[in-house]
Amino acid sequence: MEIPGREPLARPVAANVLRALRPRQWTKNALVFVAPAAAGGFHHQGDVLRSLGALAVFCAAASSTYLLNDSLDVDSDRLHPVKRLRPIASGEVSVPLALGLGALLGLGSIGAAYALAGWRLALVLGLYALISAAYSGYFKTVPVIELAFVASGFVLRALAGGIATHVPISTWFLAVTSFGALFVVVGKRAAEKKVLGESPEAHRAVLGEYSSSFLGSTLTLTAAVTVTAYCLWAFGSEGLATSLRHDTIWIQLTVVPVTLGVLHVLRLLDRGEGGAPEDLVLHDHVLQILGLSWVALFAAGLYG
């Protein structure tokens, strides 16, 4: 509470730095659990611990990229109705401090990945850092290509979980992850296009290159391929079901909450909502119920 006649108390530097790391967005890093969970790896304590280690290094790596991106975008973020409140854009965290901490977290995450699971996991973290830097430095202004750059971060998270626990990754798993990630990124752009009004390019330059009809068509395409690939993953000869020795019908039934979840997100995006995946995960009760249904069906088939 503010006291009349006094300046509002500033947040401590540590609190501002923590906000700049965007811990709310660490929910995306839960993708590292998908591959080992699908392979039944969580029967083994070692796999659980390695998955948690992969989660930690990706949280550090992701925060490193957020600090870099916010430092480079500080001027445009100050024009954005929401991003202007971020610690770097508001001046609560200086750009030199953000860049220094970002470099420390980036290099530290690669070193920790090597210690955790060897050069393959370190390579994934290195690729993530390289792609993120290239995106922040140039490719965020290149239409369509920038979508692939952002989506690749989700794919690398899923790969990291498999590599950390020595779980083979199927081609259909990669297809589901890739197109699902592209669906999420296109949805974010579509929501931004609606929310930011007539001049969205002032806040994100590439938005001026996308028409609403293009984003809508791309959403429909990526949603359709995601659901199709998921069905093939669950039912196909190279999919998950044939690797199990349990009641595979429960795995196949997970197609239902996945399809309903995609349709629910499409409905929100059509209304100009649902552009922030972390907000959906944390606050959208319909999506949470569908997610829990997916987990329950998956667990029944895999561990039942």
Side-chain angles (χ1 to χ4, degrees):
M1 181 178 66
E2 294 185 19
I3 300 175
R6 292 189 182 181
E7 291 293 326
L9 292 176
R11 292 188 183 93
V13 174
N16 290 324
V17 169
L18 179 61
R19 288 198 306 126
L21 299 180
R22 301 195 212 172
R24 284 167 55 88
Q25 298 198 22
W26 289 347
T27 54
K28 301 173 185 176
N29 300 322
L31 280 168
V32 301
F33 295 118
V34 176
F42 289 163
H43 282 305
H44 309 289
Q45 184 180 8
D47 285 342
V48 174
L49 294 176
R50 282 190 289 270
S51 296
L52 290 172
L55 173 69
V57 297
F58 242 106
C59 286
S63 290
S64 170
T65 65
Y66 300 148
L67 291 169
L68 171 63
N69 193 60
D70 287 356
S71 296
L72 295 177
D73 289 350
V74 65
D75 292 329
S76 61
D77 283 354
R78 285 170 179 162
L79 301 175
H80 193 280
V82 176
K83 293 180 181 179
R84 65 184 179 83
L85 301 176
R86 289 177 176 174
I88 298 174
S90 65
E92 294 171 305
V93 174
S94 68
V95 170
L97 173 60
L99 290 174
L101 181 58
L104 181 64
L105 286 173
L107 293 173
S109 66
I110 295 173
Y114 182 83
L116 177 67
W119 68 269
R120 289 181 177 84
L121 186 58
L123 178 62
V124 169
L125 269 293
L127 284 173
Y128 177 79
L130 180 63
I131 290 171
S132 298
Y135 169 81
S136 297
Y138 174 70
F139 286 99
K140 65 184 176 184
T141 63
V142 183
V144 179
I145 303 302
E146 62 96 14
L147 300 175
F149 267 66
V150 178
S152 68
F154 292 90
V155 179
L156 290 173
R157 287 170 169 87
L159 281 175
I163 291 171
T165 55
H166 310 291
V167 170
I169 304 294
S170 75
T171 53
W172 286 125
F173 178 86
L174 287 177
V176 173
T177 307
S178 299
F179 283 95
L182 198 56
F183 172 71
V184 170
V185 177
V186 175
K188 185 177 178 66
R189 295 291 180 268
E192 289 174 338
K193 184 85 172 175
K194 289 189 176 183
V195 169
L196 295 177
E198 296 181 357
S199 301
E201 63 275 9
H203 306 285
R204 189 186 294 274
V206 76
L207 287 176
E209 304 293 332
Y210 297 135
S211 66
S212 297
S213 59
F214 169 79
L215 291 172
S217 299
T218 307
L219 267 176
T220 301
L221 173 64
T222 53
V225 176
T226 299
V227 172
T228 301
Y230 187 87
C231 291
L232 291 169
W233 183 44
F235 289 93
S237 60
E238 196 183 349
L240 176 63
T242 57
S243 68
L244 301 173
R245 296 295 179 266
H246 301 293
D247 294 329
T248 57
I249 184 62
W250 300 109
I251 300 295
Q252 295 160 1
L253 284 173
T254 61
V255 169
V256 175
V258 167
T259 304
L260 292 177
V262 170
L263 292 174
H264 176 66
V265 172
L266 280 173
R267 184 185 69 85
L268 292 177
L269 292 172
D270 188 59
R271 294 166 51 185
E273 304 172 10
E278 63 277 7
D279 287 342
L280 287 178
V281 171
L282 295 173
H283 303 297
D284 190 282
H285 298 314
V286 173
L287 204 61
Q288 288 170 349
I289 291 170
L290 290 171
L292 289 173
S293 301
W294 181 87
V295 170
L297 290 168
F298 203 92
L302 191 61
Y303 299 103

